[in-house]
Each structure stands twice: as structure tokens, then as C-alpha cells.
């Protein structure tokens, strides 16, 4: 699946971006499910500012994407064990692009 697709010395290919997108989507869905499962079990891990969690499904996946891409939580904040989960997801969000660049550069050699 991760066999390099180098055509005429190109470092970046559509396949690499597709794989990166699949990785991001997998992490968003995975962590979104973790947040959702905690909420469904009765453990509050996310708190919406300015109101209650009206739709925990939507909030869980929204927060997951927000943590993975920007760590710009403002309208939803983690609490309790959710803080540790959010930090783990943010770390993954920061290392995925670095891994992508490292993979592209190693394919060059």
C-alpha cells in the first residue's frame, strides 16, 4: 500500500496525498469514536461553551478534527480524561505531516 510512486523524479504524487488523507480521516474517526464512547458511557470528556452537548455525535467528531488539524479548541473544551486523549491526538496531528515529509524525502533517495 505504501510503495512509492515516483514518476520522472516527482517527489509528490496524488497517491501520497491520498494516503495522507486516509491517515487523517482514520485518526479523526478513531478519536471521534473514543470521545463518543466515553460520552455514551456517561463520562463527560467534552464540554461545549455556551450550552449543553446537543448532539454528542457531531461534537465528538468536530472536536476530533479540530484537535488533529489546529488544536484551536475554543467552543468545545476537553475535561477529565478527555484532556489526555486530546493531547495524544494533537501529538499525532503534529507528527503526521512530519512523517509524510520524511517518507517523501526517503523515497527520493
Amino acid at each position: 500500500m505504501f510503495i512509492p510512486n515516483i514518476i520522472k523524479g516527482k517527489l509528490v504524487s496524488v497517491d501520497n496525498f491520498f494516503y495522507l488523507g486516509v491517515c487523517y480521516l482514520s485518526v479523526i474517526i478513531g478519536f471521534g469514536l473514543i470521545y463518543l464512547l466515553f460520552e455514551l458511557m456517561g463520562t463527560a470528556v467534552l464540554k461545549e461553551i455556551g450550552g449543553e452537548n446537543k448532539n454528542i455525535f457531531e461534537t465528538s467528531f468536530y472536536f476530533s478534527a479540530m484537535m488533529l488539524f489546529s488544536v484551536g479548541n475554543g467552543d468545545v473544551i476537553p475535561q477529565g480524561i478527555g484532556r489526555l486523549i486530546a493531547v495524544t491526538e494533537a501529538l499525532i496531528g503534529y507528527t503526521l505531516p512530519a512523517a509524510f515529509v520524511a517518507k517523501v524525502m526517503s523515497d527520493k533517495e
Side-chain angles (χ1 to χ4, degrees):
M1 182 171 167
F2 290 101
I3 298 172
N5 185 13
I6 300 177
I7 301 172
K8 296 182 183 177
K10 289 184 180 179
L11 295 177
V12 180
S13 68
V14 174
D15 289 344
N16 286 338
F17 278 114
F18 175 74
Y19 295 138
L20 182 64
V22 168
C23 288
Y24 272 122
L25 190 60
S26 299
V27 173
I28 290 170
I29 290 171
F31 277 93
L33 287 173
I34 291 171
Y35 297 125
L36 182 63
L37 287 174
F38 272 107
E39 292 286 340
L40 291 175
M41 290 184 338
T43 304
V45 293
L46 301 176
K47 179 181 179 184
E48 286 192 50
I49 302 300
E52 293 184 19
N53 288 357
K54 297 174 185 168
N55 186 345
I56 60 172
F57 183 80
E58 178 184 312
T59 301
S60 296
F61 289 100
Y62 166 75
F63 181 75
S64 178
M66 189 174 62
M67 284 304 295
L68 187 65
F69 290 128
S70 68
V71 191
N73 44 348
D75 57 341
V76 180
I77 58 172
Q79 56 186 8
I81 190 73
R83 290 179 177 178
L84 179 62
I85 299 168
V87 167
T88 304
E89 185 176 10
L91 179 64
I92 291 170
Y94 280 126
T95 57
L96 267 178
F100 176 72
V101 170
K103 180 186 180 320
V104 169
M105 294 310 292
S106 70
D107 291 345
K108 180 180 176 183
E109 296 172 3

